[in-house]
Amino acid sequence: MGNEQSEPQVEEEMAEETPIKKVILVTGGTGLVGQAIKKVVDEGLALPNEEWIFLASKDCDLTSYEATKALFDKHSPTHVIHLAAMVGGLFANMRQNLEFFRMNMAMNDNVLRCCHEGNVIKCVSCLSTCIFPDKTTYPIDETMVHNGPPHDSNFGYAYAKRMIDVLNRGYSTQYGRMFTSVVPCNVFGPYDNYSLENAHVLPALMHKCYLAKQHDTPLTTFGTGKPRRQFIYSLDLARLFVWVLRKYEEVDPIILSVGEEEEVSITDAVNAVVKGMDFKGEIVYDTSKADGQFKKTASIGKLRKYLPDFKFTPFEQAVKESCEWFVENYDSARK
Ligand code: NAP
Ligand code: GFB
């Protein structure tokens, strides 16, 4: 699965002089991105001096400082990839902007505070391209994180994510900590959240396609289909995350996305899922539903400076592989 051509460059980049024993804690290890990192690590990217620990919310509710502290005392991590978050698509965000702010603020503050108190060598947290200002020039780059309000539909999530960058800069300027962050575009792949109410567009369409085939009904997509998005395959993002953990030494964020030229419309995304699910039925656009942000086109100029040859999995191939995974794992998939 995915695209192996980029390995040599990333592996070469990742060789280390005198490796110290690393205990790498991945919060949110059971989610879409966490499972992808686990797959690439288990399938060869792990180094002999590394112990990887993938966490679920049942291991620790990170909104509780006491529980988070106990977890850090138990594992004594040297490195942390902080993925855990309250995550959802456009409609979930529009319904619960306050919870998205409060839950994510609590988790982010607790994890970074425990990283500091636990003398963690490096922490890589996860932002999102939806946090950038809605009224902006394009393409968006890393210097624009705080340049104006985000889109109304997800202000809670967006501001909580921006505060990670504020915390990273605070821990760096006051204590010299190497706490940094990455900014992925929309992510998709195996182990996604397929809940029809809370999912992002691609997993929602895969689930709706599956049900439409089963019941011989039309596929309903929401909005006009005109908005544009950059979609990154979770397995490609996972390889970039491992590279950032080992080699990216800036506190400032770095965008991890496919290039601007790979941006597609929601209608393109619908057609890719229809092809991936081999759906032959009618497609209906419910334009009474929101389109959300029209676009959030991000530049990967900074990433390309570091990794000029990194290869992304072609969109249609990645969507097809994700559809196949969903159909094969329908019963156990999050719905
Ligand atoms: P996801 O599939 O919804 O997984 C969320 C993870 O967070 C799960 O492992 C969940 O654990 C854990 N979690 C949730 N609440 C928790 C709590 N109170 N305490 C401890 N753990 C908790 O999310 P994802 O799509 O992989 O997102 C991973 C990261 O990427 C997030 O920071 C997200 O903001 C960011 N991101 C995602 C996208 C996207 O399109 N999906 C785009 C840009 C950035 P359980 O499963 O055990 O409940
Ligand atoms: O993926 P999505 O929910 O998130 O929606 P955003 C993308 C687009 O898909 C919107 C359209 O224009 C929707 O109108 N769409 C069509 C659908 N059919 C569906 C459907 O069945 N379900 C969904 N969900 N969308 C999110 C942010 O924005 O991006 C989050 O709200 C997060 O905070 C995430 O950052 C990555 O791309 O619009």
Side-chain angles (χ1 to χ4, degrees):
M1 284 177 84
N3 199 319
E4 311 310 327
Q5 290 160 343
S6 58
E7 288 314 334
Q9 190 213 359
V10 173
E11 281 187 14
E12 183 197 303
E13 278 271 343
M14 292 187 198
E16 294 189 31
E17 291 75 38
T18 48
I20 61 159
K21 167 97 174 56
K22 288 184 181 174
V23 176
I24 304 163
L25 199 62
V26 181
T27 74
T30 47
L32 164 70
V33 181
Q35 290 273 7
I37 294 178
K38 187 169 187 325
K39 182 174 169 57
V40 298
V41 161
D42 289 350
E43 292 184 358
L45 230 45
L47 294 175
N49 65 312
E50 294 173 344
E51 178 193 349
W52 288 78
I53 302 167
F54 292 87
L55 292 175
S57 60
K58 66 177 174 8
D59 300 317
C60 171
D61 176 0
L62 296 169
T63 62
S64 151
Y65 169 71
E66 290 70 27
T68 308
K69 182 78 174 147
L71 178 91
F72 271 67
D73 292 347
K74 175 180 171 194
H75 294 293
S76 303
T78 58
H79 295 70
V80 173
I81 293 182
H82 174 38
L83 302 172
M86 181 177 173
V87 181
L90 170 64
F91 304 100
N93 275 270
M94 290 168 70
R95 277 196 314 272
Q96 298 177 282
N97 260 300
L98 178 60
E99 282 72 28
F100 273 91
F101 180 76
R102 298 192 61 242
M103 297 292 276
N104 288 318
M105 278 297 286
M107 282 188 251
N108 300 335
D109 188 48
N110 289 337
V111 169
L112 289 170
R113 177 179 170 190
C114 289
C115 283
H116 173 57
E117 291 169 353
N119 291 316
V120 161
I121 295 167
K122 186 169 183 179
C123 176
V124 180
S125 296
C126 199
L127 312 184
S128 171
T129 55
C130 76
I131 74 166
F132 286 106
D134 182 42
K135 300 197 176 23
T136 182
T137 54
Y138 298 101
I140 295 164
D141 69 41
E142 290 84 352
T143 66
M144 300 174 178
V145 170
H146 302 285
N147 288 8
H151 191 265
D152 238 10
S153 62
N154 58 289
F155 68 83
Y157 174 87
Y159 278 118
K161 287 291 188 181
R162 288 185 184 188
M163 294 309 118
I164 289 178
D165 182 51
V166 173
L167 287 163
N168 287 346
R169 285 158 57 190
Y171 281 114
S172 168
T173 49
Q174 277 183 241
Y175 301 104
R177 294 297 185 194
M178 173 40 77
F179 300 165
T180 187
S181 63
V182 300
V183 192
C185 58
N186 290 45
V187 189
F188 71 98
Y191 297 95
D192 212 329
N193 177 356
Y194 303 87
S195 134
L196 295 176
E197 293 72 36
N198 299 325
H200 292 100
V201 59
L202 286 172
L205 289 169
M206 291 173 196
H207 193 175
K208 290 198 275 190
C209 230
Y210 184 98
L211 297 173
K213 283 180 78 171
Q214 225 176 24
H215 304 122
D216 195 16
T217 51
L219 166 66
T220 302
T221 182
F222 295 157
T224 63
K226 293 195 172 61
R228 302 185 62 76
R229 298 288 184 269
Q230 288 157 294
F231 292 106
I232 188 168
Y233 194 24
S234 59
L235 297 173
D236 293 341
L237 177 61
R239 271 185 275 276
L240 291 170
F241 248 110
V242 175
W243 171 78
V244 168
L245 183 74
R246 292 182 183 148
K247 291 294 178 185
Y248 179 71
E249 297 301 335
E250 298 181 38
V251 170
D252 287 339
I254 183 167
I255 291 171
L256 300 182
S257 169
V258 294
E260 299 154 61
E261 68 289 354
E262 305 296 332
E263 186 182 60
V264 296
S265 71
I266 296 303
T267 294
D268 297 331
V270 170
N271 295 337
V273 170
V274 161
K275 199 169 168 196
M277 294 293 287
D278 193 27
F279 178 73
K280 301 278 187 272
E282 185 194 356
I283 302 167
V284 173
Y285 281 77
D286 177 354
T287 53
S288 72
K289 294 284 194 302
D291 269 342
Q293 193 166 20
F294 180 70
K295 69 177 185 177
K296 35 187 165 174
T297 316
S299 158
I300 59 169
K302 186 174 183 176
L303 177 64
R304 280 302 183 206
K305 282 205 191 83
Y306 282 102
L307 294 176
D309 308 322
F310 185 86
K311 296 242 178 335
F312 294 95
T313 307
F315 180 59
E316 287 216 356
Q317 175 193 337
V319 170
K320 181 147 184 44
E321 290 173 9
S322 304
C323 291
E324 287 162 357
W325 184 91
F326 176 59
V327 172
E328 279 156 29
N329 297 278
Y330 184 79
D331 296 339
S332 59
R334 275 184 295 172
K335 296 188 286 297

